[in-house]
Structures are given as structure tokens and as C-alpha cells.
Amino acid sequence: MLETEPDLSDFSKIDFTNGAVAAVSGGSDSTALLLLLKDHLDRSAPATKLLAVTIDHNLRPGSAAEAQAVARLCAARGIAHRIMVWSGRKPSTGLPAAAREARYRLLAEAAQAEGIGLILTGHTADDQAETVLMRHARQEGPREAGRGLAGMAPATLYDWRIWIARPLLGTRRAALREVLRRANVGWAEDPTNDDEAFERSRIRAALADGNGAQEDAMALAARAAVEREQLGHRAAALIRGFASRPADGLIRLDPGFATAGDDLAAVYALRILLATVGGVAFLPDQARSEALFARLRPRPSCVMPFYANPFCATLSRTVVDARRAGIFLRRETRNLPPAAPAVDNALWDGRRRITLGDEPGAFLIAPLGAARAAKREIAEDGAPPSLVRAALAAEPALWRSSGPLGESLSPVQDSPALPRMAACPVVAPFARFLPSFDLAPAGTVAALIGALLLPAAPFSGHTAG
């Protein structure tokens, strides 16, 4: 056992039933995470499957040696270890973001190969303060800032299937380094941490002045996290109360959505729905969303909503069609994906996860199109048939091709001898990364559109969702 350790309450709240992957770079934070986690599991759940994974980004000459040092530490302590290398060409711009995406992708691959659904990272209170201050510098409006200033969530669902937990977010880096010193364990120093060409390095240097900015940033993150989670619950309640799905690809909002009295939550709910229907990974601009929402509200002098005469607007690839029957959201027909070979488990148009049969054959996937949609029978459920058909025209369908891609297409009819395609909807803005702050609205939208259910959160005491 370690002689001293930070508060491990976050470890005690985590469900390790299906094992854990510890992301270990060799730096002080992740090395301390590994030792503390191993000590915790040895005492509370010794049969837990633990795998340490080191991602070699292959960006510095010494990265391979650092990965091998982690391997030796793990071997000495009886911990399974695996090195994953980010190979291939690296982007000339946006390198930190690309490296982050590659890191989580490789960690998820390693976890999935071992049948593990939980990844732990060594992000600390220092990392949290840096993140909050960076986001504060980027925010332009106070309402949008409320979400970003929550910082990193205690857990994030990656790719809608694997949880990434951050149990040391409340622990200072200095405390973790003291743990390593007492255990006589060294760590690697990443030279990029001091390279002020990177934004985080500049923020880190500013925080090192000891002027109280660290504590202020942490307090701000705590308040913003509570506000963000509360906002998500209110937005989820509005979606449950006013949204329905008349047809695939079509969302209807009752006109009362615009007059429910909680404009902040309504705009947030609208942004999530717009991004989901349009298949966009990021929420639409706050100011443009507020302007659109203002158009949905009735004028004070009108008894009926002023969109009793229909109007249309487009935001984040989503057509907003407001009329007497309701406010309808559908994918616009511009810039739909061209015909392409159907690939199993592909994300089509940011909106649908494609699953093919065991023998998909030489088929293409492309939008159904207006001509085919016009031939579909439309159920009489109150939704305007023209809107239903417009939504269906943007939905994916399997096609045969007797010529080059996109030419001489004919639809694949339902037949036992032909593959059946499943096109499962996804909650686009949260499909890749879903912070635990946003579980409530994400789960509500998933139920609305028929997406896969959320896997259980790794924290037994977490209330979101």
C-alpha cells in the first residue's frame, strides 16, 4: 500500500465490475493515477481487470522510450500494459485537437479489445483550472459561457459506448507528485508543457504565479457545472413535454414550446434538436439560435402564434418550418451525401449509424430522394404529408448501381435474399463526446428519435439523466 494518498472518494464511487483501462503517459498525473488505482483495487476489488495503456503519439524522439518506461513500471507491479502508437501523417494545424482525438480513439480500441467499458484518465484540478480559463478567454456571450465554464466533466461517454472517468479532478498536481516521491517513483516531463506556442502552456504559466487564479477558476467551474446540469434537466423536460416524432427524420414541437416561460432552457433544447436533426457535431451559434427562437414566439398583440402564416428558416442544416400544425424540424435537402459504397457501422450524414447484414454485397447508400419519397404512403397523424415526404427524401436507402457511382441507381426492395439495412439515429452533438453534465437532454433526445439507450454512468452517485 502507498504511505499517503489523496482523497479516494471518487474511486469508491466508480463501478469497476467490468474492469478499467488506465491511460498512462508516464507523466506525474497519470503515473500517480495508476499507482493509486492499483492500490485501491488491491484493497477493495482485487479480481478487477486492470489494463494500463500508453499512447505513443510519435511526435517527439523520446516518446517511445517514455512508453517503455511505463511498461517497465507496470511489469514491476504486476499490471498488464499495452502501447498504442498513433501512426501516419500528422496535421500541420490543429495538432493538439487531432492528438486528443487519436488518443481517445486508441484508448477505446484497447478497451474494446479487452471487453472493458471504462477508461480512467489522470486529469487534475490544475488541468481543470487551465481548461476553464482557456474557455473563458474564448467565450463571447454570458449565456454560452455558462456551459463551457463547467470545464471537464467527471465522466464523458465516448462514441456512445465507452465511459471516460476523471477521478482526480479535485486533486492538485502537487499532491500527486508527493505520492510519487514517497513511493520513490519517477515520472517523465513533457517539454511541450513549457512551450508557450501552445495555449494551455501559456495559461499554465499564468496560474503558476500563485495569485489565487487557480482557486477562483475551480470555484467558477463548480458553479457552472451545477448550472449546466440544471439547464440540461430543464431542457429535457421541455423536450419531453412538447416534442414528438411524426416520421423518421421529422421532429414536431408543439407551439407551446415557445411560450413555456423558460427561454434559456428552450433555446438550449432547440439548439440540441437542430444539431441532431441536421447531423451536426456542434451546437448551433447561441445568438442565431436566440434570434430563431424569438421568431417562434407569438407577438404580444396576437391571439394566435404569428406563424399561423407559415415561415421557414434554416440553421445547422435543419429546416425549421413553423405553421399552425406545429413547429417542424427536418434535414435540409442541400448537401446530402452522394451515393457511396455501403459500409457497416459507418456514420452516415452525421445522423445515422449504418448496420448491414452479414453479406452486404455491392450496394450503395444514398438519400431516398424526393421522387421515391413521393410514392410512400403517409399515415394520417396530423403531420403535413409534404413535410413527412420531405423528411423521408433525406433519409438513407440502399441502392444497386449498374454504372458509375451515383448513376443508374435502382432501389433495393425488401427481400429475404437481400441485406436489410438498419439506420439507427444518433444524437449528433453528443455522438462522439457526451459529458456527464448533459446526460439528461442527451437521453431524452435519444428516446425521442429512437437512438440507442445510454449505457449506465460509471459513477453510482451521479444524478444526471
Side-chain angles (χ1 to χ4, degrees), residues 318-355:
T318 297
V319 176
V320 181
D321 194 319
R323 53 179 69 194
R324 292 182 184 228
I327 306 164
F328 293 89
L329 311 179
R330 62 175 176 84
R331 169 71 161 93
E332 67 173 334
T333 54
R334 294 188 306 162
N335 302 318
L336 287 166
V343 177
D344 189 47
N345 200 40
L347 184 61
W348 185 84
D349 195 37
R351 298 182 291 136
R352 301 287 186 272
R353 181 69 65 183
I354 303 302
T355 303

Side-chain angles (χ1 to χ4, degrees), residues 279-294:
V280 178
F282 299 98
L283 298 183
D285 176 74
Q286 175 79 17
R288 295 183 66 188
S289 301
E290 289 177 350
L292 174 60
F293 180 73

Side-chain angles (χ1 to χ4, degrees), residues 189-372:
E189 293 285 1
D190 185 346
T192 61
N193 288 337
D194 297 322
D195 185 350
E196 295 199 359
F198 297 101
E199 180 187 18
R200 185 174 290 273
S201 298
R202 296 193 297 271
I203 294 291
R204 182 171 296 153
L207 286 172
D209 292 340
N211 56 5
Q214 172 90 31
E215 291 72 19
D216 291 345
M218 291 298 296
L220 178 60
R223 292 194 302 270
V226 172
E227 292 171 359
R228 178 168 172 174
E229 192 164 336
Q230 291 175 344
L231 178 65
H233 278 286
R234 285 153 44 205
L238 289 173
I239 294 170
R240 287 193 301 270
F242 294 100
S244 60
R245 180 169 60 104
D248 289 343
L250 185 65
I251 299 297
R252 177 187 179 274
L253 293 172
D254 185 88
F257 172 81
T259 58
D262 188 348
D263 290 1
L264 189 59
V267 170
Y268 183 40
L270 180 63
R271 296 173 72 199
I272 295 173
L273 292 173
L274 288 169
T276 298
V277 173
V280 178
F282 299 98
L283 298 183
D285 176 74
Q286 175 79 17
R288 295 183 66 188
S289 301
E290 289 177 350
L292 174 60
F293 180 73
R295 293 191 65 189
L296 297 177
R297 300 191 65 181
R299 295 170 183 167
S301 59
C302 295
V303 176
M304 294 189 65
F306 77 97
Y307 47 84
N309 293 319
F311 85 88
C312 281
T314 302
L315 183 58
S316 289
R317 306 199 312 184
T318 297
V319 176
V320 181
D321 194 319
R323 53 179 69 194
R324 292 182 184 228
I327 306 164
F328 293 89
L329 311 179
R330 62 175 176 84
R331 169 71 161 93
E332 67 173 334
T333 54
R334 294 188 306 162
N335 302 318
L336 287 166
V343 177
D344 189 47
N345 200 40
L347 184 61
W348 185 84
D349 195 37
R351 298 182 291 136
R352 301 287 186 272
R353 181 69 65 183
I354 303 302
T355 303
L356 301 174
D358 294 334
E359 298 179 1
F363 296 99
L364 302 179
I365 185 170
L368 180 64
R372 296 289 175 183

Side-chain angles (χ1 to χ4, degrees), residues 404-434:
L405 291 184
E407 298 180 9
S408 305
L409 294 178
S410 59
V412 174
Q413 304 295 330
D414 290 336
S415 167
L418 294 173
R420 295 182 180 273
M421 178 186 69
C424 185
V426 301
V427 186
F430 301 127
R432 198 63 164 167
F433 293 99
L434 169 58

